[in-house]
């Protein structure tokens, strides 16, 4: 591999786009020496020997004037080359008049559809692009695209080059949908015409990698960057400019992975190459200085960071770039350094200057503009200018919602999850600031309604909109088929998984195509304000949004703080109520000394004068409620570890429980009081019920291992510990579940329901998956069986080959066991090839269609558990059934003894069907009955109802 070749593309800014540059055309009337001199100049430019490049170019210019004059094609080519040299020197402003002169001459002499005119236009657009003059660059690129489509066709290398440039421009503008569309089209063209080892194909990989990096899809970006790096390093001659920028991109990526040493290593390698072969006065060197400064600031080397940034800014000033996008970016980073040095006023001034520069180039919902608003708000807060800080945060909140709404019209669910991570940092800041500045509680309330269940709402909306026309419905069914194949692969041991990456890519592309097609049908995120929620409340009702956010002392899970945002009918604003730290509740829920039953009974005990749960969670709230005249009904939305607490079972000082004092309604978000399609109560008595229970989990006969299914008369469920449901590594029968669903059937039939009861070997996974596919989903789906949930394998010691325990995907580690599930549980595969395995994971449930299902009863144990992920809540069965479309869910938080589980369900059905209560009323009646009958909360408090 020779050191360096003439550059074809250049990555601009920090993580930007490849820009195609072209040579001048040949002409029969131009002396041969002219072309030779131009080529010599190009070669010197590639070696960064710019003085020699200018000398050869000047000689070519003299030849052009002598032979043809200044009004000639040859002189136009000379002007083009002069602009090109200045571009590679980083003197973009000086390059512009040369490119304009070249463009105008070629337009007059060759015509505006000539390829060489397109080349002048293209490079002029590139210069504007690099300078951050996106408004100037975009129409020129579009004109070039049209010329190249007319002259060379869409299936051409030149057309692909322009697509890549446009992709980079839209990336910088934050138009990620258009950036990806152009980038993928260019990649396909280059792969077909040039092959997947050609440098231009590598440049397309970089371009797409930049997109995925900026949208936080870091794993995808890493794969593309490393593939591109391998392509370049395999070339006989290395493209210096592209390779340096690729090193910078990799450094930025590994910084996101928190692999700081590796990131700094890539930056230093780029700095060494840049200084040796190009020079330290080039704006690309400023990019490297800025990148290193970010690492220095993050690792506390503030003096070095400040020095680097000031040097980078000086380089841009010397190159007349003091009003460009890069200058604004570097100022933002310098402001961060001053903030870390406790120079708060200086930091604020610098951030304000940066914001004014960026406003001239970027849309106001661009991530870097939002970042500037956040930085100013932080500075104002530290300067105790609380109203100014609040104003900045309100502006930030309004702008970021536009970006989020736009993202739901393009990104897949996984991409959307990655993209929203940076936004959630702002959310935490809203909460932390509201704690110190209570008047901001209204903004905090509005923001939590945007973010809580944001991904869930987007998924639900897609499921609903996809069936509105025949085309999208067909696409939706195809997507479900692919997802089912993925589910089977995810549930298999890693060593036998096949085609997973291909299936994931296929599913992602189809999902995004479906999202784009349904984008005009409705908004994925309907914005709701606290005032709209308030309008839905009656005088005796309140709404509570529980929130969590990092404390100032750390960002670990246990350092999180909890608070409640309380809203009443006539309040001027919501009230911010600080509650407790996560470590306080964590130590109670994960008590490794006591058994589960002892721990639960202690937590919810009425015997102690001051119950600890009441003290932590409810006492601060009750102080606010006591100020009100009379409260009867409370709508609340839990957060974090509160998903693992039955709020209604918390004892009160007068010997009651919260559910006996108030009507409690647990919601995914209080926005449900406003969003059409949600209501406070009532029932929709659909006429079909499907009941699963008394299931035969099957014998295991494989490789000499033989087990015979036995009867388990105790608890249902498995949470990764040895318990009576799965003590011998296989699932045992639950005799009381047959009694439970038989009683339910009798009551349902009497109430006029058509019932389908599946027991023994008939209670298969395949039969369940027919709902919403072959037959309509039932109005009631009752599943009385074993449930399981396993924590993140990274949080527990040891290795496990079973995918249900070892998967990195939360929705695979949670599920239900159905007929013949023991075989797959032991072997990792279904009994018959291509058949269902009897293990219904939450991931599989989420791909079902249960939009017509009013009520799902998960009478299995621990079905309310799962990985808790920030504002998205619990990733497990409850999330899966919500996505599938079910309205009400009855779940369990721990392993309920089999007999008490069927007693609870029977009582619920009696109250609902015979007494005519609504589902929430019937649920509360069942809990009250069980509470009166059984003293131990362990036997009744585990059931929860979620709408």
């Amino acid at each position: 591999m020779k050191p360096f070749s003439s550059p074809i593309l250049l990555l601009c800014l920090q993580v930007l786009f490849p820009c195609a540059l072209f040579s001048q055309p040949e002409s029969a009337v131009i002396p041969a020496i002219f072309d030779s001199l131009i080529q010599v100049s190009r070669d010197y430019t590639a070696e960064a020997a710019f003085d020699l490049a200018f000398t050869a170019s000047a000689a070519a210019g003299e030849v052009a004037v002598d032979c043809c004059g200044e009004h000639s094609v040859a002189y136009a080519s000379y002007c083009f080359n002069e602009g090109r040299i200045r571009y590679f020197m980083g003197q973009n402003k000086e390059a512009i008049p040369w490119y304009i002169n070249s463009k105008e001459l070629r337009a007059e002499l060759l015509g505006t559809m000539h390829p060489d005119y397109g080349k002048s236009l293209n490079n002029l657009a590139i210069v504007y692009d690099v300078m951050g003059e996106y408004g100037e660059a975009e129409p020129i690129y579009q004109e070039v695209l049209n010329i190249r489509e007319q002259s060379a066709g869409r299936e051409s290398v030149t057309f692909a080059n322009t697509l890549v440039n446009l992709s980079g421009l839209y990336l910088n503008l934050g138009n990620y949908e258009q950036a990806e569309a152009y980038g993928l089209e260019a990649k396909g063209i280059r792969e077909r015409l040039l092959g997947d080892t050609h440098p231009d194909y590598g440049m397309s990989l970089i371009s797409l990698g930049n997109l995925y990096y900026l949208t936080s899809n870091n794993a995808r970006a890493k794969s593309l960057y490393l593939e591109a790096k391998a392509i370049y390093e395999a070339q006989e001659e290395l493209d210096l400019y592209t390779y340096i920028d690729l090193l910078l991109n990799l450094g930025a990526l590994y910084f996101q992975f928190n692999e700081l040493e590796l990131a700094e290593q890539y930056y230093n390698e780029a700095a060494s190459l840049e200084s040796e072969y190009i020079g330290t006065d080039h704006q690309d060197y400023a990019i490297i200085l800025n990148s290193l400064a970010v690492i220095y600031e993050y690792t506390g080397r503030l003096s070095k960071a400040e020095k680097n940034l000031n040097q980078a800014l000086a380089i841009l000033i010397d190159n007349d770039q003091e009003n460009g996008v890069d200058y604004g970016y570097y100022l933002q980073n310098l402001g961060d350094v001053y903030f870390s040095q406790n120079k708060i006023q200086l930091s604020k001034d610098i951030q304000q200057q940066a914001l004014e520069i960026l406003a001239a180039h970027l849309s106001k919902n661009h991530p870097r503009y939002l970042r500037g608003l956040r930085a100013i708000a932080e500075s104002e807060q530290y300067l105790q200018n609380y109203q100014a800080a609040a104003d900045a945060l309100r502006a930030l909140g309004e702008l970021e919602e536009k970006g989020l709404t736009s993202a739901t019209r393009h990104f897949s669910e996984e991409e959307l999850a990655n993209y929203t991570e940076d936004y959630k940092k702002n959310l935490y800041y809203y909460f932390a600031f509201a704690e110190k500045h209570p008047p901001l509680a209204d903004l905090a309330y509005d923001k939590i309604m945007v973010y809580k269940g944001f991904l869930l709402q987007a998924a639900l909306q897609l499921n609903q909109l996809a069936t509105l026309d025949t085309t999208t419905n067909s696409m939706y069914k195809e997507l479900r088929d692919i997802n089912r194949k993925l589910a089977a692969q995810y549930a298999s041991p890693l060593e036998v998984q096949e085609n997973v990456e291909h299936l994931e890519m296929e599913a992602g592309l189809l999902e995004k195509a479906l999202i784009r097609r349904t984008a005009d049908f409705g908004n994925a995120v309907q914005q709701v304000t606290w005032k709209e929620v308030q309008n839905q409340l009656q005088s005796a009702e309140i709404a509570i949004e529980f929130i969590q956010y990092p404390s100032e002392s750390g960002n670990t899970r246990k350092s999180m703080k909890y608070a409640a945002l309380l809203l009443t009918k006539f309040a001027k604003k919501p009230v911010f109520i600080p509650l407790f730290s996560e470590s306080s509740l964590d130590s109670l829920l994960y008590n490794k000394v006591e058994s589960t039953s002892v721990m639960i009974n202690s937590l919810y005990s009425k015997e102690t004068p001051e119950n600890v749960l009441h003290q932590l969670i409810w006492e601060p709230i009750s102080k606010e409620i006591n100020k009100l005249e009379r409260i009867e009904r409370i709508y609340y939305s839990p957060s974090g570890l509160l998903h693992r607490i039955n709020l209604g079972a918390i004892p009160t000082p007068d010997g009651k429980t919260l559910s006996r004092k108030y009507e409690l309604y647990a919601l995914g978000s209080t926005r449900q009081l406003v969003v059409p399609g949600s209501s406070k109560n009532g029932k929709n008595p659909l006429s079909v019920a499907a009941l699963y229970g008394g299931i035969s989990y099957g014998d295991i006969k494989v490789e000499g291992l033989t087990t015979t299914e036995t009867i388990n008369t105790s608890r249902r469920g498995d949470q990764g510990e040895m318990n009576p449901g799965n003590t011998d590594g296989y699932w045992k029968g639950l005799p009381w579940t047959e009694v439970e669903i038989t009683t339910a059937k009798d009551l349902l039939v009497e109430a006029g329901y058509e019932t389908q009861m599946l027991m023994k070997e008939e209670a298969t996974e395949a039969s369940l998956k027919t709902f919403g596919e072959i037959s309509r989903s039932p109005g009631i789906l009752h599943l009385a069986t074993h449930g399981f949930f396993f924590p993140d394998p990274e949080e527990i010691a040891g290795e496990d080959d079973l995918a249900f325990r070892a998967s990195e995907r939360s929705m695979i580690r949670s599920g239900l066991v159905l007929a013949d599930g023991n075989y797959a549980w032991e072997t990792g595969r279904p009994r018959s090839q291509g058949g269902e395995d009897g293990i219904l994971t939450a991931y599989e449930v989420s791909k079902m269609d249960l939009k017509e299902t009013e009520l799902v009863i998960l009478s299995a144990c621990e079905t309310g558990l799962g990985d808790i992920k920030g504002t998205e809540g619990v990733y497990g069965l409850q999330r899966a059934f919500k996505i599938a479309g079910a309205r009400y869910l009855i779940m369990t938080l721990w392993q309920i003894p089999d007999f008490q589980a069927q007693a609870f369900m029977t009582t619920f059905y009696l109250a609902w069907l015979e007494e005519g209560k609504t589902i929430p009323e019937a649920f509360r009646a069942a809990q009250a009955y069980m509470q009166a009958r059984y003293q131990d909360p362990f036997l009744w408090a585990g059931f929860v109802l979620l709408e």
Side-chain angles (χ1 to χ4, degrees):
M1 181 175 69
K2 296 180 183 178
F4 305 110
S5 66
S6 177
I8 300 174
L9 299 181
L10 174 63
L11 288 172
C12 309
L13 305 180
Q14 296 174 26
V15 183
L16 292 183
F17 51 90
C19 311
L21 302 178
F22 302 90
S23 64
Q24 63 121 79
E26 295 182 354
S27 173
V29 298
I30 300 174
I33 187 63
F34 177 83
D35 283 333
S36 297
L37 287 169
I38 290 292
Q39 186 57 52
V40 168
S41 178
R42 286 175 58 89
D43 291 342
Y44 281 133
T45 301
E47 296 169 6
F50 297 120
D51 289 341
L52 294 174
F54 274 126
T55 300
S57 184
E62 291 177 5
V63 172
V65 172
D66 290 343
C67 79
C68 309
E70 292 187 2
H71 192 73
S72 65
V73 171
Y75 193 77
S77 298
Y78 158 69
C79 291
F80 182 91
N81 191 60
E82 285 287 312
R84 185 177 182 278
I85 298 170
R86 286 168 174 79
Y87 169 78
F88 279 104
M89 291 179 67
Q91 297 177 0
N92 295 302
K93 196 170 184 179
E94 290 81 357
I96 289 175
W98 291 98
Y99 279 139
I100 289 176
N101 199 17
S102 169
K103 171 183 76 76
E104 291 175 348
L105 284 171
R106 286 173 168 174
E108 181 181 348
L109 300 172
L110 301 174
T112 57
M113 294 305 293
H114 194 280
D116 287 350
Y117 171 75
K119 293 173 184 178
S120 293
L121 276 180
N122 184 69
N123 284 18
L124 179 61
I126 288 169
V127 172
Y128 284 130
D129 204 341
V130 171
M131 293 173 65
E133 300 291 345
Y134 303 130
E136 297 285 346
E138 182 181 7
I140 300 176
Y141 275 143
Q142 290 291 355
E143 186 180 353
V144 175
L145 194 68
N146 180 56
I147 291 171
R148 290 179 173 171
E149 182 176 6
Q150 297 298 319
S151 61
R154 296 183 71 90
E155 195 72 7
S156 64
V157 171
T158 55
F159 186 79
N161 291 340
T162 310
L163 287 175
V164 170
N165 291 343
L166 272 165
S167 174
L169 178 135
Y170 286 123
L171 181 62
N172 292 324
L173 288 171
N175 186 345
Y176 302 128
E177 178 178 0
Q178 197 63 63
E180 184 175 41
Y182 279 145
L184 288 172
E185 185 178 357
K187 173 177 171 288
I189 294 170
R190 286 173 165 176
E191 186 173 15
R192 290 189 294 274
L193 297 181
L194 305 173
D196 61 5
T197 60
H198 193 279
D200 284 9
Y201 177 76
M203 293 165 191
S204 276
L205 297 180
I206 295 170
S207 176
L208 287 168
N210 297 339
L211 167 69
Y212 298 130
Y213 167 80
L214 288 177
T215 55
S216 300
N217 193 346
N218 293 329
R220 186 83 185 278
K222 178 182 177 182
S223 174
L224 292 173
Y225 283 156
L226 292 178
E227 184 180 352
K229 186 170 183 284
I231 290 172
Y232 281 102
E233 291 177 344
Q235 302 302 311
E236 184 178 350
E237 294 182 338
L238 185 64
D239 178 347
L240 170 63
Y241 294 91
T242 304
Y243 190 73
I244 287 176
D245 286 320
L246 180 55
L247 293 175
L248 289 174
N249 294 352
L250 282 165
L253 185 67
Y254 281 107
F255 178 81
Q256 293 298 319
F257 288 140
N258 205 35
E259 297 184 35
L260 302 183
E261 289 186 11
L262 189 54
E264 191 168 349
Q265 177 182 320
Y266 277 119
Y267 288 155
N268 283 325
E269 185 180 353
S272 177
L273 291 172
E274 184 85 21
S275 60
E276 181 177 356
Y277 291 99
I278 298 175
T280 58
D281 57 351
H282 193 283
Q283 68 183 50
D284 284 0
Y285 191 71
I287 294 172
I288 300 172
L289 291 171
N290 173 72
S291 300
L292 282 166
V294 171
I295 287 205
Y296 295 154
E297 194 269 338
Y298 189 79
T299 53
R301 292 172 280 176
L302 301 180
S303 296
K304 293 186 72 172
E306 182 181 3
K307 179 181 177 182
N308 267 34
L309 287 166
N310 280 317
Q311 186 180 348
L313 290 167
I315 292 172
L316 293 187
I317 292 172
D318 290 343
N319 285 278
D320 294 323
Q321 295 290 305
E322 62 267 33
N323 292 312
V325 172
D326 276 8
Y327 198 85
Y329 288 169
Y330 302 168
L331 280 177
Q332 282 189 330
N333 292 340
L334 183 60
D336 291 343
V337 172
Y338 288 142
F339 191 90
S340 297
Q341 292 174 331
N342 206 33
K343 301 174 183 177
I344 308 301
Q345 183 63 52
L346 181 57
S347 172
K348 174 194 155 186
D349 294 342
I350 291 288
Q351 294 289 1
Q352 189 64 55
Q353 182 187 351
L355 207 60
E356 291 171 2
I357 291 172
L358 296 180
H361 302 284
L362 305 175
S363 66
K364 289 192 174 182
N365 61 342
H366 191 282
R368 290 300 291 245
Y369 190 86
L370 299 180
R371 169 184 162 176
L373 282 175
R374 158 77 184 271
I376 289 171
E378 288 183 293
S379 295
E380 296 285 18
Q381 181 190 355
Y382 272 82
L383 293 170
Q384 297 185 7
N385 299 327
Y386 296 121
Q387 187 56 53
D391 291 343
L393 284 180
R394 291 186 188 280
L396 172 62
E398 183 178 344
L399 290 170
E400 70 180 1
E401 286 182 20
K402 296 178 181 178
L404 287 169
T405 300
S406 174
T408 62
R409 295 175 175 269
H410 168 61
F411 288 138
S412 68
E413 182 180 359
E414 183 175 352
E415 290 172 335
L416 196 59
N418 293 327
Y419 180 69
T420 55
E421 282 304 306
D422 282 341
Y423 285 89
K424 289 177 182 176
K425 295 174 185 175
N426 292 337
L427 178 69
Y428 292 145
Y429 185 64
Y430 296 137
F431 297 158
F433 186 67
E435 180 183 2
K436 296 180 179 180
H437 189 64
L440 207 67
D442 60 332
L443 179 62
Y445 202 113
D446 284 347
K447 292 291 102 180
I448 193 59
M449 285 194 296
V450 171
Y451 285 99
K452 190 175 279 188
F454 178 79
L455 302 178
L456 175 63
Q457 292 301 318
L460 282 170
Q461 187 79 353
L462 178 62
N463 290 352
Q464 292 168 0
L465 297 178
T467 57
L468 292 184
D469 73 15
T470 54
T471 301
T472 56
N473 193 41
S474 176
M475 295 169 68
Y476 183 58
K477 288 181 177 179
E478 183 182 353
L479 179 60
R480 282 200 299 181
D481 288 341
I482 297 172
N483 282 325
R484 283 171 181 167
K485 293 176 184 177
L486 272 172
Q489 293 301 317
Y490 290 152
S492 302
L494 287 174
E495 64 271 13
V496 299
Q497 290 184 6
E498 295 178 347
N499 248 356
V500 171
E501 188 173 341
H502 173 75
L503 286 171
E504 287 176 336
M505 184 173 297
E506 191 178 357
L509 292 173
L510 184 56
E511 182 185 357
K512 290 167 74 169
L514 183 59
I515 289 169
R516 286 193 292 269
R517 191 169 182 91
T518 58
D520 294 332
F521 294 169
N523 293 322
V525 179
Q526 179 179 337
Q527 308 298 350
V528 173
T529 68
W530 68 269
K531 289 186 177 179
E532 291 175 286
V533 174
Q534 187 182 54
N535 289 338
Q536 296 299 313
L537 295 175
Q538 301 300 315
S539 59
E541 298 177 343
I542 63 173
I544 298 175
E545 283 285 354
F546 287 100
I547 59 174
Q548 58 179 151
Y549 52 99
S551 68
E552 294 180 356
S553 59
N555 290 314
T556 63
R557 180 175 67 81
K558 292 186 179 181
S559 70
M560 298 291 277
K561 299 169 74 173
Y562 284 71
L565 295 166
L566 186 147
L567 181 62
T568 63
K569 177 65 178 176
F570 302 109
K572 293 182 179 180
K573 282 187 177 183
V575 178
F576 187 100
I577 306 172
L579 296 178
F580 56 89
S581 67
E582 180 145 322
S583 58
S584 302
L585 188 54
D586 185 89
S587 62
L588 297 174
L589 291 177
Y590 300 100
N591 188 329
K592 298 184 181 300
V593 178
E594 299 175 334
S595 66
T596 301
S597 60
V598 172
M599 183 267 288
I600 294 294
N601 287 332
S602 174
L603 267 182
Y604 294 95
S605 173
K606 298 180 185 178
E607 305 303 319
T608 54
E610 293 292 336
N611 178 270
V612 65
L613 286 182
H614 188 273
Q615 285 182 320
L616 285 177
I617 302 170
W618 200 252
E619 189 172 294
I621 296 172
S622 66
K623 292 178 181 178
E624 290 296 328
I625 294 178
N626 291 339
K627 298 176 185 178
L628 306 172
E629 287 187 11
R630 180 175 58 88
I631 297 300
E632 297 175 353
R633 179 176 293 172
I634 299 175
Y635 301 100
Y636 72 95
S637 174
S639 181
L641 288 182
L642 291 176
H643 285 285
R644 295 187 177 164
I645 295 293
N646 183 343
L647 204 66
I650 295 178
T652 56
D654 57 5
K656 298 180 180 179
T657 59
L658 289 180
S659 64
R660 302 299 293 271
K661 293 191 69 171
Y662 308 105
E663 290 182 25
L664 297 175
Y665 290 82
L667 306 174
S669 165
T670 57
R671 74 193 298 274
Q672 291 172 232
L673 299 175
V674 178
V675 176
S678 290
S679 60
K680 299 181 187 178
N681 49 47
K683 71 174 184 176
N684 181 15
L686 298 177
S687 59
V688 178
L691 312 170
Y692 284 69
I695 299 173
S696 173
Y697 301 109
D699 299 339
I700 305 173
K701 296 179 180 179
V702 58
E703 298 178 1
L705 172 66
T706 301
T707 68
T708 301
E709 183 181 25
T710 60
I711 298 298
N712 169 40
T713 59
S714 184
R715 305 176 195 167
R716 315 171 186 182
D718 189 13
Q719 195 190 353
E721 301 175 358
M722 301 304 287
N723 65 64
N726 192 358
T727 54
D728 301 310
Y730 60 95
W731 300 100
K732 302 174 184 179
L734 296 166
W736 283 104
T737 62
E738 184 173 343
V739 176
E740 179 180 321
I741 66 167
T742 300
T743 304
K745 177 188 176 182
D746 293 340
L747 293 169
L748 286 162
V749 169
E750 188 175 339
Y753 281 80
E754 177 186 339
T755 61
Q756 181 182 5
M757 192 162 66
L758 296 102
M759 299 190 300
K760 307 298 182 184
E761 292 81 5
E762 293 182 352
T764 63
E765 181 181 359
S767 68
L768 192 57
K769 287 183 177 178
T770 63
F771 297 137
E773 191 72 29
I774 298 175
S775 61
R776 294 177 62 182
S777 63
I780 301 169
L781 178 58
H782 186 136
L783 299 164
T785 184
H786 288 294
F788 64 88
F789 158 66
F790 294 99
D792 190 331
E794 293 186 1
E795 297 179 3
I796 55 177
E799 296 184 0
D800 198 325
D801 293 331
L802 186 64
F804 307 117
R805 287 191 289 262
S807 177
E808 63 182 18
R809 301 176 187 279
S810 306
M811 304 283 272
I812 296 295
R813 291 184 274 105
S814 175
L816 300 168
V817 188
L818 296 166
D820 203 29
N822 273 330
Y823 187 90
W825 196 266
E826 175 62 33
T827 65
R829 62 179 186 272
R831 194 179 293 272
S832 59
Q833 187 173 359
E836 301 290 357
D837 58 13
I839 308 296
L840 183 70
T841 64
Y843 180 87
E844 291 173 299
V845 172
S846 71
K847 308 307 174 185
M848 294 176 65
D849 181 1
L850 299 175
K851 288 192 287 290
E852 296 181 350
T853 301
E854 175 80 358
L855 172 65
V856 173
I857 296 175
L858 301 179
S859 188
C861 284
E862 298 167 334
T863 47
L865 300 185
D867 285 342
I868 297 173
K869 298 190 177 182
T871 56
E872 284 302 312
V874 180
Y875 271 68
L877 283 166
Q878 65 168 276
R879 182 181 185 84
F881 278 102
K882 288 180 196 173
I883 292 175
R887 181 178 174 193
Y888 285 104
L889 297 172
I890 294 179
M891 305 163 294
T892 59
L893 297 176
W894 53 80
Q895 300 157 19
I896 308 294
D898 199 20
F899 177 79
Q900 280 75 19
Q902 65 83 27
F904 183 96
M905 290 304 163
T906 299
T907 307
F908 166 76
Y909 276 116
L910 284 168
W912 182 37
L913 299 175
E914 291 197 351
E915 298 176 24
K917 296 181 183 296
T918 65
I919 289 174
E921 290 168 348
F923 180 83
R924 285 193 296 274
Q927 279 214 320
Y929 168 79
M930 296 293 288
Q931 183 178 347
R933 182 174 177 182
Y934 298 102
Q935 182 177 357
D936 290 349
F938 175 74
L939 300 176
W940 59 268
F943 286 101
V944 290
L945 171 69
L946 185 65
E947 180 181 351

